[in-house]
Amino acid sequence: MSSDFKNRVKEQFGKAADGYVRDLGFAQGADLAEAAKLLQPTPDDIMLDVACGGGHTALYFAPLVRNVVASDLTMLMLKKAQEYISEEGNVDNITFREADAEDLPFPSGSFTILTCRIAPHHFSDVPRALREFHRVLRRQGGRMIIIDTLLPEDPEIAEFCQTMEKMRDPTHVRAYSRNEWIAMIENAGFKVMATKVFHKTHDFSSWAKRAGLHREGIRNLSQYFINSSSKVHDYFQIETFAGEIESYTDKKILIYATRLDKK
């Protein structure tokens, strides 16, 4: 990840930090319950939450493990997450660490669990990040959950997805299909144990504003949605009222994988 791009990410999420922390769509979700079901955390587990954002995943798992390190590239986001957890969570086993997902500042084998939720589409080098995830997980018992936006298989719908994400947030790099995720994760030395897809409905206005879009940007993005094909409207279940976009629904993929000892 270039320093220029990292600085853009820090600036973007520094400005948007409070909105992400307070967003109930991140604080809740069936994906968190499914992640816990698959990971089966115990009081002996040491967990790393990469690109922790508002701290919601770290807070969810904290009562279930020995301790959690919540890491993020953006210091202001970490500060907002720490404030949120201090206010909302009755936990004392979360520490916060500024960290680049592609160059983690932790010794090899430091963690038994690693999570990364709704963040990899901002990584410029996902394979490199996955190799780092493999490195910091223990050889025995190391397990990982990744949750992120799922890229549609249909080329037309995939192009719409990539374009609208970049229109909303220029630090979006790309989403990946299920097959792409499996290939990257296995190449990094993991065994994919399970995948699951979740639907997530977004209130269009709050979704656009959370990324820092102003009136003209929101208007252009709304028009891009409205002008899209019927195939795109159907896939994303785009809802309109009086010529305005009210909501759309995309898909998130959850991948559960365990660490293999690379020879």
Side-chain angles (χ1 to χ4, degrees):
M1 184 185 290
S2 72
S3 59
D4 286 346
F5 183 77
K6 281 192 284 187
N7 289 334
R8 286 167 56 201
V9 172
K10 290 178 181 179
E11 181 181 1
Q12 172 71 12
F13 284 93
K15 292 186 297 184
D18 195 63
Y20 278 90
V21 169
R22 303 296 171 184
D23 189 272
L24 291 178
F26 287 98
Q28 303 169 354
D31 59 324
L32 286 172
E34 183 66 19
K37 177 182 175 183
L38 290 167
L39 288 169
Q40 298 184 8
T42 74
D44 293 326
D45 279 310
I46 302 169
M47 174 175 155
L48 173 64
D49 185 31
V50 177
C52 69
H56 307 103
T57 304
L59 179 57
Y60 186 92
F61 277 91
L64 308 176
V65 300
R66 183 191 304 174
N67 55 60
V68 181
V69 176
S71 70
D72 202 277
L73 182 67
T74 305
M75 179 55 73
L76 184 54
M77 182 70 82
L78 283 173
K79 291 179 179 178
K80 290 291 184 180
Q82 189 170 14
E83 291 173 6
Y84 166 74
I85 289 173
S86 296
E87 294 170 5
E88 301 293 331
N90 185 27
V91 297
D92 60 2
N93 63 337
I94 301 177
T95 57
F96 299 86
R97 182 75 180 270
E98 185 178 13
D100 182 344
E102 297 166 16
D103 188 18
L104 293 172
F106 308 108
S108 299
S110 296
F111 304 96
T112 57
I113 289 177
L114 184 148
T115 56
C116 187
R117 181 175 179 240
I118 318 298
H121 59 274
H122 294 288
F123 299 169
S124 60
D125 192 340
V126 170
R128 177 174 173 175
L130 290 169
R131 291 193 296 271
E132 279 291 273
F133 296 177
H134 184 276
R135 181 184 65 80
V136 301
L137 278 170
R138 289 186 185 171
R139 295 185 180 186
Q140 298 297 322
R143 52 215 196 272
M144 173 180 76
I145 287 281
I146 288 179
I147 302 168
D148 205 16
T149 300
L150 178 64
L151 187 70
E153 296 286 352
D154 183 281
E156 178 186 340
I157 303 173
E159 181 179 0
F160 173 87
C161 179
Q162 295 287 78
T163 301
M164 66 89 163
E165 290 282 7
K166 285 183 177 290
M167 288 178 68
R168 173 183 178 257
D169 181 352
T171 66
H172 170 87
V173 177
R174 65 162 296 186
Y176 296 91
S177 68
R178 178 180 180 275
N179 288 339
E180 287 175 319
W181 267 120
I182 291 174
M184 289 190 297
I185 289 171
E186 290 182 343
N187 285 340
F190 291 94
K191 180 178 181 180
V192 174
M193 305 298 291
T195 65
K196 187 166 183 177
V197 174
F198 297 86
H199 290 77
K200 184 173 183 179
T201 299
H202 305 264
D203 176 81
F204 181 84
S205 179
S206 62
W207 170 77
K209 290 177 181 177
R210 189 172 66 241
L213 280 184
H214 298 299
R215 183 176 300 177
E216 183 178 358
I218 294 173
R219 182 167 60 246
N220 291 339
L221 184 56
S222 176
Q223 198 61 47
Y224 185 68
F225 270 76
I226 290 171
N227 292 341
S228 63
S229 69
S230 58
K231 182 195 294 186
V232 169
H233 274 253
D234 289 344
Y235 181 90
F236 287 104
Q237 301 173 40
I238 298 171
E239 298 290 342
T240 63
F241 180 76
E244 300 289 337
I245 304 295
E246 287 198 319
S247 68
Y248 83 98
T249 300
D250 65 358
K251 296 178 181 179
K252 308 298 182 187
I253 186 168
L254 179 154
I255 307 118
Y256 169 54
T258 56
R259 187 193 191 282
L260 297 176
D261 186 11
K262 294 179 75 173
K263 303 299 184 182

